[in-house]
Amino acid sequence: MGESGPEARRAGQGTILIIDDDREIADVVAMNLRDLGFRAERANDGRTGLQKALSGGHSLIILDLMLPEVD
């Protein structure tokens, strides 16, 4: 049987980069990812997001479209 409860919720690992200019959406996504045991890093514009993405170390990148600075 699969795990349930707090043990299953802490199964997440790695860092997820959220690139989104809508801070409220990014906050909700980051909060939910942290609840699942992931580390969440954020960028609020395309230029900063690109720099963070190129630095590596992310398991996944969630990318919004039509960002300020660099689309």
Side-chain angles (χ1 to χ4, degrees):
M1 275 192 168
E3 290 183 8
S4 62
E7 295 81 23
R9 296 189 75 199
R10 305 231 186 280
Q13 294 182 12
T15 301
I16 298 177
L17 174 59
I18 304 160
I19 306 172
D20 195 326
D21 58 331
D22 187 323
R23 293 174 193 266
E24 289 181 25
I25 291 174
D27 285 343
V28 170
V29 171
M31 179 182 64
N32 283 296
L33 290 171
R34 288 185 188 114
D35 284 349
L36 292 171
F38 294 96
R39 289 181 302 276
E41 186 176 347
R42 292 186 35 208
N44 297 315
D45 62 69
R47 187 174 315 281
T48 304
L50 180 58
Q51 290 171 345
K52 289 184 178 195
L54 292 174
S55 73
H58 303 99
S59 302
L60 178 74
I61 298 172
I62 299 174
L63 176 62
D64 185 24
L65 301 175
M66 297 174 34
L67 293 165
E69 300 291 325
V70 175
D71 188 26

